[in-house]
Amino acid sequence: MWMLVPVAFAGKLLSAFRKPLRSLWSSLVPWVLWLRATLWLPGGQSTRPPQLGRGEPQESRGDGGQGPDQPTTPTSVNYHFTRQCNYKCGFCFHTAKTSFVLPLDEAKRGLRLLQEAGMEKINFSGGEPFIHDRGEYLGQLVRFCKEKLRLPSVSIVSNGSLIRERWFRTYGEYLDILAISCDSFDEQVNVLIGRGQGKKNHVENLQKLRTWCRDYRVAFKINSVINRFNVDEDMREQIKALNPVRWKVFQCLLIEGENSGEDALREAQQFIISDEEFEGFLDRHKEVSCLVPESNQKMKDSYLILDEYMRFLNCRNGRKDPSKSILDVGVEEAIKFSGFDEKMFLKRGGKYVWSKADLKLDW
């Protein structure tokens, strides 16, 4: 019986404090909810995305600027339909891990799905897009997108080494923009980077392509990856002489499984530069009016990338995690796993005057 005395006393003590404790909890609830809203996403999920296994689709976090219930529109898509290339650029972040290319009819079906989902611009890339079927496969896709899908903009990114004038004669009218990768105007630097190809001169070929673009009314663009071997180069005079509609200047980027890590085909660590070095290059070229800079931060998640199987590639974890193919699940479902940051896409100037009909160029 004597043991019941402390229990009875504890019960009375709890009763005495119950009301003050209830009042204290009521005052703390708003603060707890505020902390949860600040540190956690709705549903109690951490802002840190879950680390999934390689190749496992991961749904994009965030709403892409369109609201949680509104699907992302694939306004501008980069289709890397082949990974094969005739160059060996040391920093390449889309390497020849497969030799697969979709049958032409299947590629066209996927492009139509994208157009129906709201695509306005398609960019064909690789690898080297002119390597497959000597550019005929690419040409038919370009013509299909402009003639059948009536897309406002059709563009290509190429190293330029395999392009022939007969391609322009057949398909030039359907192409809005041709972007040629050129990282240096010093041929020895191009060789160091991996753009050397025997007796062919990359810089001389660039000038020839510039002339063909003018003759066949295709807007001419230059892409440059700034890295350890060209960061101190002054390209102002050469760029101004070539007068591209845009000069895209990228900071060299590491992607696990592509140019970094044990299973990568390239090792790009030796090419990496600091943010300060990249800013120094930009400052040196700030007078070039067509310059469009892209740091690693701007570039990583602001592109919708389709691989050779028409899977969106999510780069949010520093590697390329594929979605399911749009040919299997449709665009709306696959794009959920793209990791696409539409706000950054718009911030970096991803949407611009990209139709040659609107550019009003002096041919």
Side-chain angles (χ1 to χ4, degrees):
M1 291 296 293
W2 63 269
M3 292 184 65
L4 296 177
V5 175
V7 173
F9 176 74
K12 289 181 179 179
L13 192 64
L14 182 61
S15 297
F17 281 99
R18 183 174 292 151
K19 188 173 181 180
L21 285 171
R22 187 185 296 120
S23 176
L24 178 63
W25 174 246
S26 298
S27 65
L28 285 174
V29 165
W31 289 99
V32 172
L33 293 175
W34 178 83
L35 283 170
R36 183 185 176 193
T38 303
L39 300 176
W40 297 73
L41 288 173
Q45 291 182 329
S46 170
T47 55
R48 182 182 176 87
Q51 298 295 312
L52 300 179
R54 291 180 186 275
E56 185 176 346
Q58 176 183 327
E59 188 166 353
S60 304
R61 300 297 178 199
D63 58 20
Q66 299 193 41
D69 300 321
Q70 211 170 350
T72 300
T73 301
T75 307
S76 177
V77 177
N78 297 271
Y79 178 26
H80 296 251
F81 66 83
T82 179
R83 284 179 171 268
Q84 297 299 299
C85 188
N86 58 324
Y87 277 7
K88 292 181 172 60
C89 302
F91 50 71
C92 179
F93 49 81
H94 201 76
T95 54
K97 305 190 85 170
T98 78
S99 58
F100 180 80
V101 177
L102 275 173
L104 187 62
D105 287 344
E106 281 292 272
K108 287 180 178 180
R109 180 167 74 89
L111 291 167
R112 187 176 291 281
L113 290 174
L114 289 163
Q115 184 264 343
E116 291 170 352
M119 180 174 68
E120 298 176 20
K121 180 181 187 293
I122 183 69
N123 179 57
F124 295 105
S125 188
E128 169 49 48
F130 282 87
I131 202 169
H132 185 66
D133 198 19
R134 297 185 179 183
E136 184 63 23
Y137 180 94
L138 172 63
Q140 291 194 45
L141 291 181
V142 166
R143 181 172 183 169
F144 173 76
C145 286
K146 183 59 72 171
E147 194 172 59
K148 300 297 184 182
L149 301 184
R150 308 188 74 81
L151 294 183
S153 183
V154 180
S155 65
I156 297 170
V157 175
S158 167
N159 64 40
S161 64
L162 302 176
I163 305 176
R164 301 294 180 261
E165 188 175 7
R166 64 177 177 271
W167 192 94
F168 278 95
R169 284 196 294 265
T170 306
Y171 299 111
E173 65 179 294
Y174 309 109
L175 182 64
D176 290 277
I177 302 170
L178 175 65
I180 300 298
S181 299
C182 180
D183 304 316
S184 176
F185 291 92
D186 182 334
E187 194 60 24
Q188 291 306 308
V189 174
N190 284 321
V191 171
L192 282 172
I193 289 172
R195 293 203 188 277
Q197 205 184 29
K199 296 180 180 179
K200 289 184 179 179
N201 186 297
H202 190 76
V203 178
E204 289 178 3
N205 194 53
L206 184 70
Q207 183 59 61
K208 179 174 64 177
L209 291 165
R210 177 68 184 95
T211 301
W212 286 344
C213 282
R214 183 196 63 218
D215 293 346
Y216 293 94
R217 298 181 175 241
V218 175
F220 180 71
K221 176 182 171 185
I222 296 175
N223 287 354
S224 299
V225 177
I226 308 309
N227 60 83
R228 177 57 51 210
F229 295 100
N230 66 1
V231 67
D232 296 320
E233 190 171 338
D234 187 342
M235 306 183 189
R236 287 175 291 183
E237 287 187 17
Q238 293 91 338
I239 294 294
K240 288 178 181 178
L242 288 164
N243 192 29
V245 293
R246 281 163 77 85
W247 178 32
K248 207 74 164 294
V249 174
F250 302 96
Q251 182 180 2
C252 187
L253 177 68
L254 291 179
I255 296 289
E256 184 185 341
E258 297 284 358
N259 61 15
S260 175
E262 292 182 2
D263 57 345
L265 296 183
R266 298 282 191 278
E267 179 48 66
Q269 189 61 52
Q270 63 175 321
F271 293 90
I272 294 300
I273 59 173
S274 67
D275 293 346
E276 291 74 20
E277 288 174 305
F278 183 64
E279 288 298 324
F281 182 91
L282 298 180
D283 187 63
R284 189 184 316 125
H285 294 86
K286 61 186 176 183
E287 67 187 64
V288 181
S289 60
C290 60
L291 187 152
V292 181
E294 285 194 18
S295 63
N296 288 347
Q297 181 186 14
K298 286 184 178 180
M299 179 169 52
K300 188 167 68 72
D301 303 319
S302 65
Y303 284 84
L304 276 173
I305 303 172
L306 278 181
D307 72 359
E308 64 273 27
Y309 302 100
M310 284 198 156
R311 304 176 299 184
F312 287 110
L313 298 179
N314 185 332
C315 301
R316 292 209 166 197
N317 289 321
R319 58 179 184 265
K320 290 181 174 178
D321 293 324
S323 70
K324 292 181 179 179
S325 174
I326 65 171
L327 299 171
D328 296 328
V329 300
V331 176
E332 184 175 338
E333 180 62 24
I335 206 169
K336 294 176 183 177
F337 301 90
S338 65
F340 180 56
D341 185 344
E342 187 177 30
K343 290 179 181 177
M344 184 58 78
F345 165 74
L346 296 172
K347 184 177 179 180
R348 70 167 171 82
K351 193 163 186 177
Y352 56 96
V353 181
W354 51 33
S355 170
K356 64 181 177 182
D358 297 328
L359 282 166
K360 296 181 174 60
L361 297 174
D362 183 8
W363 302 108

